[in-house]
Amino acid sequence: SFTSLTTDLCKKYKSNIILRGLRAVSDFEYEFQLATMNRSLAPDIESIFLTPKESLIYVSSSLIKEICDLKGDVSKFVHPTVEQALKAKLDS
């Protein structure tokens, strides 16, 4: 996490791309507003949107955390490294 503008973080790390995921049509309007504002703040930084496989559209980070917290199997939804990190965080 960070406490600055995303565009400032990009500049700090010399990145010119913001990669965002769109799960549903309802995400588009908010993400479009963010991308437009970011472009206004830093025209040299481009926003790129990716869409998930149809089988993963319903998956959200909060849902994954809840499943993991309740000792459910999240292995088919996240990379093994992410699964390990979630379990380590919940065990601490």
Side-chain angles (χ1 to χ4, degrees):
S1 68
F2 54 96
T3 57
S4 66
L5 292 170
T6 301
T7 52
D8 289 343
L9 190 69
C10 287
K11 290 173 186 176
K12 177 181 176 181
Y13 289 102
K14 298 179 182 166
S15 174
N16 64 343
I17 296 172
I18 299 171
L19 187 60
R20 303 284 293 184
L22 297 173
R23 287 178 296 152
V25 174
S26 57
D27 292 342
F28 180 78
E29 186 174 347
Y30 175 73
E31 294 295 339
F32 182 77
Q33 290 174 7
L34 280 178
T36 302
M37 185 57 70
N38 287 333
R39 181 175 285 154
S40 295
L41 294 170
D44 56 322
I45 298 174
E46 196 66 45
S47 293
I48 297 174
F49 301 101
L50 297 177
T51 57
K53 299 191 298 186
E54 290 174 3
S55 62
L56 297 174
I57 285 177
Y58 62 92
V59 177
S60 69
S61 61
S62 55
L63 183 57
I64 296 298
K65 286 184 253 182
E66 183 176 354
I67 292 168
C68 196
D69 187 39
L70 297 171
K71 310 295 185 226
D73 181 13
V74 296
S75 62
K76 60 184 167 190
F77 304 114
V78 298
H79 189 276
T81 305
V82 173
E83 182 180 15
Q84 290 173 355
L86 282 168
K87 287 179 179 179
K89 185 175 182 178
L90 291 171
D91 290 339
S92 62

